[in-house]
Amino acid sequence: MIRIAQIIPYFGKWPEWMPLYLYSCGRNPMVDFIFYTDCEIPETTYSNTKFIKISFDDYCKLVGERLGIDYQISKAYKLTDLKPFIGKVHEKELLGYDWWGFGDIDLIYGDLSMLINDDNLKKYDILTTHNYHIAGHCTFVRNNEFFRNLCLKIVNWKYRLSDEKHYGFDEAEWSNLLYPNIKWPLTIYSKILSKISPKVFNPFMNFANRVLNPRQLFKEYFTSPIPKDNLKWTYNTRKSSIYSPCGKELPYLHFLFFKKTPWLETENYWKAGYYRIKMPFDKCNYIYIDTYGISND
């Protein structure tokens, strides 16, 4: 059986939706979700949600020892730059796993077999859910020496990884190292196809990626929507499936633009009281996510 691990270092305080996130992890037993954290172990965990208690300072020390650098950072958010280095940092813990991955916890998983299935695991070495760069919120990588060490080709990585500035290595430089030819379809779109219609971007990129990058699945799954009023995304707890407002099934729903975020200027984001689930998830049947929050009504 193919073994897959997603490793997430997270420090501070769990978000309010954490029980729902973990429930959705538990419904996808093909992945072990491993957390390095100083947060309290959640009251309800699952056989594939594993927690390693460690202080922020001790985790940084571990990273420094594994990478051979002086790794001292002051803010936990800077750990997002560590994502391409997860396979290298945790090489010892990943022994026995065929794939490793990184991700965020501001999401809810549906049926991950849409992405992680026998065909994809045989055909590809990278599974990611955007077609124009790596999706930092959920990507899986074949566990071999090449992909573990690719991060070491990031320019001046030793200094920049410890610098307090956020570089977004996962979706930028590391993504380009994985798929250097992506510049060609992006150039064709920006110079020619964008003048015809912006709607051609996704089908064109999905096609170009299959031709230029056949060993890596860069495919747009529309997991990070910008929500509008009166539109609901539905999580079917019985089937562990998520559906967009138009009925399209998604492997997961990323909450990025539902929350207040520096990446989008809007007053249309979750306010206090947005999390309105009072009963066990398997009793809800359906959970709804919209601009007002997360609820079962």
PDB file of all heavy atoms in Angstrom, residues 84-102:
ATOM      1  N   PRO A  84       8.886  23.906   0.831  1.00  0.00           N
ATOM      2  CA  PRO A  84       9.679  23.079  -0.090  1.00  0.00           C
ATOM      3  C   PRO A  84      10.780  22.277   0.599  1.00  0.00           C
ATOM      4  O   PRO A  84      11.331  21.344   0.012  1.00  0.00           O
ATOM      5  CB  PRO A  84      10.286  24.107  -1.049  1.00  0.00           C
ATOM      6  CG  PRO A  84       9.439  25.329  -0.916  1.00  0.00           C
ATOM      7  CD  PRO A  84       8.983  25.336   0.507  1.00  0.00           C
ATOM      8  N   PHE A  85      11.117  22.659   1.847  1.00  0.00           N
ATOM      9  CA  PHE A  85      12.186  22.003   2.596  1.00  0.00           C
ATOM     10  C   PHE A  85      11.668  20.892   3.511  1.00  0.00           C
ATOM     11  O   PHE A  85      12.463  20.214   4.171  1.00  0.00           O
ATOM     12  CB  PHE A  85      12.939  23.043   3.446  1.00  0.00           C
ATOM     13  CG  PHE A  85      13.637  24.107   2.642  1.00  0.00           C
ATOM     14  CD1 PHE A  85      12.939  25.206   2.153  1.00  0.00           C
ATOM     15  CD2 PHE A  85      14.992  24.004   2.366  1.00  0.00           C
ATOM     16  CE1 PHE A  85      13.578  26.192   1.409  1.00  0.00           C
ATOM     17  CE2 PHE A  85      15.642  24.987   1.626  1.00  0.00           C
ATOM     18  CZ  PHE A  85      14.940  26.073   1.143  1.00  0.00           C
ATOM     19  N   ILE A  86      10.355  20.684   3.552  1.00  0.00           N
ATOM     20  CA  ILE A  86       9.765  19.709   4.468  1.00  0.00           C
ATOM     21  C   ILE A  86      10.329  18.311   4.238  1.00  0.00           C
ATOM     22  O   ILE A  86      10.658  17.585   5.184  1.00  0.00           O
ATOM     23  CB  ILE A  86       8.227  19.699   4.332  1.00  0.00           C
ATOM     24  CG1 ILE A  86       7.622  20.971   4.936  1.00  0.00           C
ATOM     25  CG2 ILE A  86       7.618  18.457   4.978  1.00  0.00           C
ATOM     26  CD1 ILE A  86       7.742  21.086   6.444  1.00  0.00           C
ATOM     27  N   GLY A  87      10.445  17.905   2.978  1.00  0.00           N
ATOM     28  CA  GLY A  87      10.971  16.574   2.681  1.00  0.00           C
ATOM     29  C   GLY A  87      12.397  16.394   3.147  1.00  0.00           C
ATOM     30  O   GLY A  87      12.790  15.294   3.561  1.00  0.00           O
ATOM     31  N   LYS A  88      13.188  17.459   3.074  1.00  0.00           N
ATOM     32  CA  LYS A  88      14.583  17.412   3.517  1.00  0.00           C
ATOM     33  C   LYS A  88      14.672  17.458   5.040  1.00  0.00           C
ATOM     34  O   LYS A  88      15.379  16.653   5.644  1.00  0.00           O
ATOM     35  CB  LYS A  88      15.348  18.597   2.919  1.00  0.00           C
ATOM     36  CG  LYS A  88      16.846  18.589   3.191  1.00  0.00           C
ATOM     37  CD  LYS A  88      17.535  17.485   2.416  1.00  0.00           C
ATOM     38  CE  LYS A  88      19.042  17.545   2.568  1.00  0.00           C
ATOM     39  NZ  LYS A  88      19.707  16.403   1.910  1.00  0.00           N
ATOM     40  N   VAL A  89      13.956  18.379   5.648  1.00  0.00           N
ATOM     41  CA  VAL A  89      13.991  18.518   7.105  1.00  0.00           C
ATOM     42  C   VAL A  89      13.523  17.250   7.794  1.00  0.00           C
ATOM     43  O   VAL A  89      14.107  16.793   8.784  1.00  0.00           O
ATOM     44  CB  VAL A  89      13.130  19.720   7.551  1.00  0.00           C
ATOM     45  CG1 VAL A  89      12.954  19.737   9.060  1.00  0.00           C
ATOM     46  CG2 VAL A  89      13.749  21.031   7.069  1.00  0.00           C
ATOM     47  N   HIS A  90      12.463  16.640   7.257  1.00  0.00           N
ATOM     48  CA  HIS A  90      11.853  15.478   7.912  1.00  0.00           C
ATOM     49  C   HIS A  90      12.144  14.175   7.177  1.00  0.00           C
ATOM     50  O   HIS A  90      11.347  13.237   7.229  1.00  0.00           O
ATOM     51  CB  HIS A  90      10.350  15.701   8.042  1.00  0.00           C
ATOM     52  CG  HIS A  90       9.996  16.799   8.994  1.00  0.00           C
ATOM     53  ND1 HIS A  90      10.088  16.641  10.356  1.00  0.00           N
ATOM     54  CD2 HIS A  90       9.587  18.081   8.778  1.00  0.00           C
ATOM     55  CE1 HIS A  90       9.736  17.776  10.948  1.00  0.00           C
ATOM     56  NE2 HIS A  90       9.431  18.663  10.014  1.00  0.00           N
ATOM     57  N   GLU A  91      13.306  14.125   6.537  1.00  0.00           N
ATOM     58  CA  GLU A  91      13.684  12.907   5.802  1.00  0.00           C
ATOM     59  C   GLU A  91      13.641  11.677   6.712  1.00  0.00           C
ATOM     60  O   GLU A  91      13.172  10.602   6.315  1.00  0.00           O
ATOM     61  CB  GLU A  91      15.076  13.077   5.206  1.00  0.00           C
ATOM     62  CG  GLU A  91      15.538  11.900   4.374  1.00  0.00           C
ATOM     63  CD  GLU A  91      16.865  12.153   3.668  1.00  0.00           C
ATOM     64  OE1 GLU A  91      17.381  13.291   3.744  1.00  0.00           O
ATOM     65  OE2 GLU A  91      17.382  11.200   3.042  1.00  0.00           O
ATOM     66  N   LYS A  92      14.104  11.833   7.928  1.00  0.00           N
ATOM     67  CA  LYS A  92      14.130  10.710   8.874  1.00  0.00           C
ATOM     68  C   LYS A  92      12.707  10.237   9.196  1.00  0.00           C
ATOM     69  O   LYS A  92      12.423   9.032   9.211  1.00  0.00           O
ATOM     70  CB  LYS A  92      14.839  11.140  10.157  1.00  0.00           C
ATOM     71  CG  LYS A  92      15.016  10.036  11.191  1.00  0.00           C
ATOM     72  CD  LYS A  92      15.630  10.572  12.477  1.00  0.00           C
ATOM     73  CE  LYS A  92      17.001  11.185  12.237  1.00  0.00           C
ATOM     74  NZ  LYS A  92      17.644  11.625  13.514  1.00  0.00           N
ATOM     75  N   GLU A  93      11.810  11.189   9.465  1.00  0.00           N
ATOM     76  CA  GLU A  93      10.429  10.834   9.818  1.00  0.00           C
ATOM     77  C   GLU A  93       9.650  10.279   8.627  1.00  0.00           C
ATOM     78  O   GLU A  93       8.644   9.574   8.795  1.00  0.00           O
ATOM     79  CB  GLU A  93       9.696  12.047  10.382  1.00  0.00           C
ATOM     80  CG  GLU A  93      10.177  12.514  11.745  1.00  0.00           C
ATOM     81  CD  GLU A  93      11.448  13.356  11.691  1.00  0.00           C
ATOM     82  OE1 GLU A  93      11.853  13.771  10.582  1.00  0.00           O
ATOM     83  OE2 GLU A  93      12.037  13.597  12.758  1.00  0.00           O
ATOM     84  N   LEU A  94      10.119  10.594   7.419  1.00  0.00           N
ATOM     85  CA  LEU A  94       9.413  10.170   6.210  1.00  0.00           C
ATOM     86  C   LEU A  94       9.897   8.831   5.669  1.00  0.00           C
ATOM     87  O   LEU A  94       9.415   8.373   4.632  1.00  0.00           O
ATOM     88  CB  LEU A  94       9.554  11.250   5.125  1.00  0.00           C
ATOM     89  CG  LEU A  94       8.753  12.530   5.378  1.00  0.00           C
ATOM     90  CD1 LEU A  94       9.214  13.649   4.453  1.00  0.00           C
ATOM     91  CD2 LEU A  94       7.260  12.288   5.205  1.00  0.00           C
ATOM     92  N   LEU A  95      10.847   8.216   6.365  1.00  0.00           N
ATOM     93  CA  LEU A  95      11.260   6.872   5.967  1.00  0.00           C
ATOM     94  C   LEU A  95      10.037   5.945   6.013  1.00  0.00           C
ATOM     95  O   LEU A  95       9.290   5.926   6.983  1.00  0.00           O
ATOM     96  CB  LEU A  95      12.343   6.346   6.909  1.00  0.00           C
ATOM     97  CG  LEU A  95      13.736   6.979   6.771  1.00  0.00           C
ATOM     98  CD1 LEU A  95      14.662   6.470   7.879  1.00  0.00           C
ATOM     99  CD2 LEU A  95      14.336   6.665   5.401  1.00  0.00           C
ATOM    100  N   GLY A  96       9.825   5.210   4.952  1.00  0.00           N
ATOM    101  CA  GLY A  96       8.657   4.329   4.902  1.00  0.00           C
ATOM    102  C   GLY A  96       7.474   4.950   4.184  1.00  0.00           C
ATOM    103  O   GLY A  96       6.503   4.254   3.876  1.00  0.00           O
ATOM    104  N   TYR A  97       7.540   6.267   3.931  1.00  0.00           N
ATOM    105  CA  TYR A  97       6.492   6.933   3.159  1.00  0.00           C
ATOM    106  C   TYR A  97       6.927   7.060   1.699  1.00  0.00           C
ATOM    107  O   TYR A  97       8.090   7.351   1.410  1.00  0.00           O
ATOM    108  CB  TYR A  97       6.192   8.322   3.722  1.00  0.00           C
ATOM    109  CG  TYR A  97       5.380   8.295   5.003  1.00  0.00           C
ATOM    110  CD1 TYR A  97       5.996   8.416   6.238  1.00  0.00           C
ATOM    111  CD2 TYR A  97       3.997   8.141   4.951  1.00  0.00           C
ATOM    112  CE1 TYR A  97       5.254   8.390   7.412  1.00  0.00           C
ATOM    113  CE2 TYR A  97       3.244   8.116   6.114  1.00  0.00           C
ATOM    114  CZ  TYR A  97       3.874   8.239   7.345  1.00  0.00           C
ATOM    115  OH  TYR A  97       3.134   8.199   8.494  1.00  0.00           O
ATOM    116  N   ASP A  98       5.982   6.851   0.797  1.00  0.00           N
ATOM    117  CA  ASP A  98       6.261   6.942  -0.639  1.00  0.00           C
ATOM    118  C   ASP A  98       6.089   8.362  -1.170  1.00  0.00           C
ATOM    119  O   ASP A  98       6.677   8.710  -2.206  1.00  0.00           O
ATOM    120  CB  ASP A  98       5.325   5.999  -1.407  1.00  0.00           C
ATOM    121  CG  ASP A  98       5.425   4.577  -0.910  1.00  0.00           C
ATOM    122  OD1 ASP A  98       6.431   3.914  -1.218  1.00  0.00           O
ATOM    123  OD2 ASP A  98       4.503   4.132  -0.196  1.00  0.00           O
ATOM    124  N   TRP A  99       5.268   9.152  -0.487  1.00  0.00           N
ATOM    125  CA  TRP A  99       5.010  10.537  -0.875  1.00  0.00           C
ATOM    126  C   TRP A  99       5.031  11.401   0.382  1.00  0.00           C
ATOM    127  O   TRP A  99       4.689  10.922   1.461  1.00  0.00           O
ATOM    128  CB  TRP A  99       3.626  10.674  -1.534  1.00  0.00           C
ATOM    129  CG  TRP A  99       3.521  10.091  -2.917  1.00  0.00           C
ATOM    130  CD1 TRP A  99       3.572   8.769  -3.260  1.00  0.00           C
ATOM    131  CD2 TRP A  99       3.321  10.817  -4.130  1.00  0.00           C
ATOM    132  NE1 TRP A  99       3.412   8.625  -4.610  1.00  0.00           N
ATOM    133  CE2 TRP A  99       3.264   9.858  -5.175  1.00  0.00           C
ATOM    134  CE3 TRP A  99       3.170  12.167  -4.443  1.00  0.00           C
ATOM    135  CZ2 TRP A  99       3.071  10.230  -6.500  1.00  0.00           C
ATOM    136  CZ3 TRP A  99       2.967  12.534  -5.765  1.00  0.00           C
ATOM    137  CH2 TRP A  99       2.926  11.574  -6.781  1.00  0.00           C
ATOM    138  N   TRP A 100       5.442  12.655   0.211  1.00  0.00           N
ATOM    139  CA  TRP A 100       5.312  13.631   1.292  1.00  0.00           C
ATOM    140  C   TRP A 100       4.617  14.866   0.721  1.00  0.00           C
ATOM    141  O   TRP A 100       4.572  15.085  -0.496  1.00  0.00           O
ATOM    142  CB  TRP A 100       6.664  13.998   1.898  1.00  0.00           C
ATOM    143  CG  TRP A 100       7.681  14.581   0.962  1.00  0.00           C
ATOM    144  CD1 TRP A 100       8.596  13.887   0.199  1.00  0.00           C
ATOM    145  CD2 TRP A 100       7.916  15.971   0.682  1.00  0.00           C
ATOM    146  NE1 TRP A 100       9.365  14.759  -0.526  1.00  0.00           N
ATOM    147  CE2 TRP A 100       8.975  16.042  -0.252  1.00  0.00           C
ATOM    148  CE3 TRP A 100       7.327  17.153   1.136  1.00  0.00           C
ATOM    149  CZ2 TRP A 100       9.468  17.251  -0.745  1.00  0.00           C
ATOM    150  CZ3 TRP A 100       7.813  18.367   0.648  1.00  0.00           C
ATOM    151  CH2 TRP A 100       8.872  18.404  -0.280  1.00  0.00           C
ATOM    152  N   GLY A 101       4.076  15.648   1.627  1.00  0.00           N
ATOM    153  CA  GLY A 101       3.373  16.837   1.175  1.00  0.00           C
ATOM    154  C   GLY A 101       3.377  17.917   2.231  1.00  0.00           C
ATOM    155  O   GLY A 101       3.815  17.713   3.356  1.00  0.00           O
ATOM    156  N   PHE A 102       2.921  19.079   1.823  1.00  0.00           N
ATOM    157  CA  PHE A 102       2.736  20.194   2.748  1.00  0.00           C
ATOM    158  C   PHE A 102       1.373  20.803   2.488  1.00  0.00           C
ATOM    159  O   PHE A 102       0.746  20.555   1.450  1.00  0.00           O
ATOM    160  CB  PHE A 102       3.851  21.242   2.604  1.00  0.00           C
ATOM    161  CG  PHE A 102       4.120  21.693   1.187  1.00  0.00           C
ATOM    162  CD1 PHE A 102       3.282  22.597   0.547  1.00  0.00           C
ATOM    163  CD2 PHE A 102       5.230  21.222   0.498  1.00  0.00           C
ATOM    164  CE1 PHE A 102       3.528  23.019  -0.747  1.00  0.00           C
ATOM    165  CE2 PHE A 102       5.491  21.644  -0.807  1.00  0.00           C
ATOM    166  CZ  PHE A 102       4.637  22.547  -1.425  1.00  0.00           C
TER     167      PHE A 102
END
